Amino acid sequence: MTKRIGIIGLGIMGRRFMPYMAAHEAFALGPVWDPSEAQREAAAALGTGAEIAGSAEAVIAGADLVYLACPPVPRKAYALAAAEAGKALFIEKPFGVDLGEARDLAARLEASGVPAAVNFTQAAGKALATVTGDAEMGETAGVDIVVTYANWPREWQKAADWLRFSAEGGMTREVISHFLFFSARVLGPLSLVWARPTFPADPALCETHMAAGLVSASGAPVSVFASVGGAQPDRQELNVKGAKASWRVSDFYALSRSTGGAFEAFGPRVADPRAESLRAQLGGLAAMMRGEPHPLATVREALAVQELVEAMLAGR
């Protein structure tokens, strides 16, 4: 039996998921809504047949599963309204920008008992499964995270204007959080040792640089280096270092492996890795809706990442 997915927030992520939700055998695309008329029109132009609802409340009422693709600030109110209505949830991270509110939301979602998962895009992907399943890499020596951009937000993100402000946006929340989640899946829970963010002169704008050190319970270090500026291509790279073999994940999905020499591409190249990732996430959601085990990020995992991110931005 197909489940109806409703979407609140029709920006980049909401619209990106719509065609895949409409095509997935386990789901039917239900009502969708955004407060912006332009975003509603852009969603309607995709031709998925989705009903453009008149309000967030109408989406919740007409869906079995609510996907919250809205900016962080309103996520808590929508999530609680959906949970109170007994609707399953798929939520973009973070839960908000106030840690106290985020902790309260996580506790209330867990207490509600509704199925809920958070959209860390690598959770159901081949890269994470391959790295965590490599029994031959030996003891893990740590993780290095390197993220560099010429500009932030990147060109394709500029429609989401909130990404450039420190209140809700920034690359630490948007990008580095994904790699912290990946690192925690490999190493176990992480603790922040130190962090040094750099902000522009305008206090309203988000960070331009981030350097940080974290550590797992076993003592494995996680190093973070991120910067914005200069004429350069985007670089999004996570290196998981093992005593016998190491893995590199580039641009979220591309895997390469080293046993001491140069990293070499691992596995077949996928024509559209983003599409494969979106379908894998939906497969995880389908399993969640059936009450089966799934690889998607839990509410507790997402809160742990948010705690690390906000501590990093505070410069602890």
Side-chain angles (χ1 to χ4, degrees):
M1 180 180 293
T2 58
K3 300 293 185 180
R4 285 170 57 83
I5 297 184
I7 305 175
I8 298 174
L10 300 174
I12 295 167
M13 290 306 300
R15 296 201 307 274
R16 179 178 292 170
F17 257 110
M18 284 178 65
Y20 298 95
M21 291 173 171
H24 198 281
E25 65 275 7
F27 296 109
L29 190 53
V32 302
W33 176 81
D34 192 286
S36 163
E37 182 178 357
Q39 302 285 44
R40 295 195 299 270
E41 291 176 351
L46 293 175
T48 60
E51 170 198 347
I52 307 299
S55 65
E57 292 75 16
V59 172
I60 294 169
D64 302 303
L65 167 64
V66 178
Y67 173 34
L68 296 181
C70 54
V73 166
R75 283 179 192 156
K76 180 180 182 181
Y78 293 144
L80 291 178
E84 287 168 5
K87 305 303 174 75
L89 281 158
F90 186 43
I91 311 173
E92 284 296 322
K93 48 76 192 161
F95 291 147
V97 295
D98 179 276
L99 275 178
E101 291 294 317
R103 292 172 186 136
D104 179 66
L105 173 58
R108 292 169 70 177
L109 286 179
E110 289 183 333
S112 74
V114 299
V118 182
N119 187 24
F120 283 94
T121 62
Q122 295 166 305
K126 290 182 179 177
L128 181 55
T130 301
V131 173
T132 55
D134 184 4
E136 298 179 357
M137 68 183 296
E139 183 178 357
T140 308
V143 175
D144 295 334
I145 297 168
V146 180
V147 175
T148 62
Y149 301 117
N151 299 286
W152 181 271
R154 290 161 286 172
E155 189 62 35
W156 60 272
Q157 294 174 309
K158 287 184 177 179
D161 193 54
W162 55 272
L163 286 171
R164 67 188 178 97
F165 294 108
S166 61
E168 297 180 83
M171 62 181 168
T172 307
R173 291 189 182 111
E174 281 299 304
V175 178
I176 296 172
S177 60
H178 286 283
F179 300 139
L180 294 175
F181 166 78
F182 194 116
S183 300
R185 278 281 175 98
V186 173
L187 300 174
L190 303 175
S191 300
L192 181 65
V193 179
W194 63 274
R196 183 167 182 176
T198 301
F199 292 88
D202 185 346
L205 298 179
C206 66
E207 76 281 5
T208 57
H209 296 73
M210 175 63 74
L214 304 95
V215 67
S216 72
S218 66
V222 176
S223 301
V224 178
F225 173 82
S227 68
V228 175
Q232 60 175 322
D234 293 352
R235 182 181 180 189
Q236 303 170 118
E237 191 172 282
L238 178 144
N239 294 331
V240 180
K241 301 174 293 185
K244 297 180 180 179
S246 297
W247 291 94
R248 173 170 292 171
V249 184
S250 302
D251 295 327
F252 284 81
Y253 312 114
L255 262 180
S256 54
R257 192 172 189 265
S258 168
T259 55
F263 279 93
E264 297 181 357
F266 182 88
R269 291 291 182 182
V270 177
D272 190 345
R274 177 179 288 167
E276 183 181 72
S277 173
L278 293 173
R279 285 190 286 264
Q281 293 287 86
L282 289 171
L285 281 177
M288 181 184 81
M289 296 300 286
R290 294 192 297 267
E292 299 170 359
H294 62 82
L296 301 182
T298 66
V299 168
R300 191 57 48 183
E301 285 179 306
L303 178 62
V305 170
Q306 185 173 348
E307 298 260 10
L308 294 173
V309 163
E310 296 305 319
M312 289 164 65
L313 289 170
R316 297 177 187 170

